[in-house]
Amino acid sequence: MSDMASAGSNSSLDMSAGTTAGTNATPWQRAATGANLLSPEGTLGVTIFEEMTTLALSTGAINLGQGFPDEDGPAEIKAAAQSAIAAGANQYAPGKGVPALREAIASHQQRFYGLNPDPDTEVLVTTGATEAIAATLLAFIQPGDEVLTFEPFYDSYGAIIGMAGAKHVTAPLLAPDFLPDLAMLESSFSTRTRVVLLNNPHNPTGAVFPESVLSMIVELAAKYGAIIVSDEVYEHLTFGVPHLPITSLPGAAERTITISSAGKTFSFTGWKIGWLSGPAHLVAAVRTVKQFLTYSSGTPFQSAIAVGLGLPDEFYTGIADQLRRKRDILAQGLRAAGFGVYNPSGTYFINVDTAPLGIRDSVDLARRLPGLVGVAAIPVPVFCHPEGAERTRSLLRFAFCKKTGVLQEAAERLATLKDRL
């Protein structure tokens, strides 16, 4: 989601905005409230990412807050984009995506998961995964519906749910493994549950959902007639555990939209090339909305990502192995700092508990950390509704998708924290 400019001293760290902007709120107010950007008084704040980035810049801190890589992906993918531009692929792509990329997406799903979506009717290219999520939710939800997500949740989920006027219901992910309690998950469903929005591997916790949890989601979605929307952008970034697409489970395929993107896998987040796949009638509904959002985008980049999806298996195992090493470098510094460290099974985020340092307020520490040790992080409570914010009050998220030298320097700085507090 794009950062929003501040309209006053209030910021997105204010958890008092709650989960509703009121019955007379405009769509932008509902979106801002859903993303924890609007106070009860109507003051608009900035995203947590903008606040932490500003702090990092003003203090010279290493920014491990916002999750984007600090180096480019494979040279052959960049070369393919340059060649496509030179060859004239600079006008509108077909609304559902260039054929080569749709075919590459279908081949990717078959190669890694044994799935066989039809590239003509069951695959849609989008302007990043964020648009895929937005177009899908806007296609299927309306006021009075409920959308179930897991908490903590990526901020764009709350924004789009709010914009659509639906109710955002959450099922908590519980430390230390950040998986849901199955009884609590079941109680989160109701006859008004229209969509279950799953993020697996999960941002911000780094959890990878096992088959037992995914099977329960499918069972409950079928029981209540809900659509499953599965955000799987970190699918290739798992450590020692395989990624299991929920659509591959019995009873899931006919009700599931699966979303992914090039940004996380190939480290080209600025290209904004995403995609989704699912049953033809669901994809057609999403395409109807998507064509009036961006219609199409990134024509030469689409061709280049088609090349990337055909890279050998060694590339995919290599990016996961490299990230695991980076995770371990940062984890060592975080432990030396005195944090309780939750090692992630996937993504490029690692969460810590500030409580062992005697600090219960991660929001306050996030604001102080750049000045204390020269490292910026994101407090997990901003990804929650008020009850969840209290439950995660002492958690911080750090991104380790940075150069090894940067992470080594950050680890050394963090190791001094106990002496500086």
Side-chain angles (χ1 to χ4, degrees):
M1 187 180 68
S2 299
D3 288 338
M4 303 179 71
S6 174
S9 60
N10 189 54
S11 84
S12 59
L13 292 174
D14 181 1
M15 289 292 99
S16 63
T19 59
T20 177
T23 56
N24 296 321
T26 60
W28 78 263
Q29 289 172 319
R30 295 197 301 269
T33 300
N36 290 328
L37 292 177
L38 199 66
S39 75
E41 296 76 29
T43 303
L44 181 64
V46 299
T47 68
I48 182 60
F49 306 108
E50 182 174 341
E51 179 171 353
M52 291 299 108
T53 295
T54 300
L55 278 173
L57 288 171
S58 66
T59 59
I62 296 172
N63 189 355
L64 302 186
Q66 194 160 7
F68 60 85
D70 59 359
E71 52 190 335
D72 289 342
E76 56 263 56
I77 301 180
K78 289 198 292 184
Q82 293 163 348
S83 296
I85 292 170
N90 301 305
Q91 308 309 323
Y92 292 128
K96 58 185 178 182
V98 300
L101 179 53
R102 287 186 279 111
E103 290 165 5
I105 292 165
S107 295
H108 169 277
Q109 295 301 90
Q110 199 288 323
R111 171 186 173 189
F112 288 100
Y113 311 121
L115 303 171
N116 293 286
D118 184 328
D120 288 327
T121 62
E122 297 180 329
V123 174
L124 177 65
V125 178
T126 60
T127 305
T130 302
E131 187 195 36
I133 294 162
T136 301
L137 291 178
L138 292 173
F140 297 119
I141 63 174
Q142 58 187 328
D145 288 339
E146 293 181 357
V147 178
L148 174 61
T149 76
F150 293 88
E151 189 178 53
F153 53 85
Y154 182 53
D155 58 357
S156 80
Y157 298 171
I160 300 302
I161 294 166
M163 189 186 303
K167 181 180 179 181
H168 187 181
V169 177
T170 60
L173 299 179
L174 306 173
D177 54 8
F178 294 107
L179 296 177
D181 176 87
L182 296 185
M184 294 177 70
L185 173 60
E186 183 169 11
S187 69
S188 300
F189 278 79
S190 80
T191 56
R192 294 184 298 278
T193 303
R194 176 62 172 154
V195 168
V196 183
L197 178 49
L198 169 69
N199 180 205
N200 179 44
H202 184 263
N203 172 20
T205 68
V208 176
F209 286 33
E211 185 173 355
S212 59
V213 172
L214 297 176
S215 295
M216 174 66 82
I217 294 169
V218 174
E219 178 184 330
L220 291 169
K223 177 180 178 180
Y224 289 97
I227 294 168
I228 300 169
V229 180
S230 188
D231 175 357
E232 302 182 9
V233 295
Y234 301 98
E235 60 185 314
H236 291 294
L237 310 184
T238 64
F239 316 121
V241 293
H243 170 64
L244 179 63
I246 193 169
T247 193
S248 67
L249 299 182
E254 63 266 27
R255 64 178 64 254
T256 300
I257 291 284
T258 302
I259 293 170
S260 195
S261 82
K264 305 303 187 294
T265 298
F266 300 116
S267 296
F268 291 118
T269 58
W271 290 12
K272 297 298 290 180
I273 302 298
W275 55 83
L276 59 85
S277 59
H281 70 286
L282 296 183
V283 172
V286 178
R287 187 173 66 246
T288 301
V289 174
K290 180 263 188 300
Q291 68 184 339
F292 298 110
L293 296 177
T294 60
Y295 179 67
S296 72
S297 60
T299 303
F301 300 135
Q302 290 191 36
S303 300
I305 295 305
V307 172
L309 287 172
L311 290 175
D313 290 353
E314 291 76 16
F315 165 76
Y316 290 94
T317 57
I319 56 175
D321 289 343
Q322 183 182 50
L323 273 175
R324 184 193 293 111
R325 291 191 291 270
K326 291 182 174 183
R327 176 199 68 180
D328 294 344
I329 290 170
L330 183 57
Q332 183 176 359
L334 292 168
R335 291 190 183 94
F339 292 118
V341 177
Y342 300 109
N343 239 23
S345 297
T347 77
Y348 43 54
F349 301 111
I350 187 167
N351 286 261
V352 302
D353 190 353
T354 66
L357 290 169
I359 298 172
R360 297 289 179 180
D361 186 351
S362 64
V363 171
D364 176 68
L365 182 60
R367 286 183 167 133
R368 296 165 56 204
L369 202 60
L372 283 170
V373 296
V375 178
I378 299 292
V380 174
V382 303
F383 299 107
C384 301
H385 289 160
E387 183 178 342
E390 185 60 33
R391 184 175 54 253
T392 61
R393 189 177 176 214
S394 61
L395 301 185
L396 277 176
R397 189 197 78 173
F398 294 81
F400 52 89
C401 51
K402 310 296 179 182
K403 295 175 183 176
T404 298
V406 171
L407 293 171
Q408 289 171 335
E409 173 63 23
E412 291 175 5
R413 295 184 184 187
L414 286 162
T416 69
L417 178 60
K418 282 190 291 187
D419 295 332
R420 295 176 181 271
L421 284 172

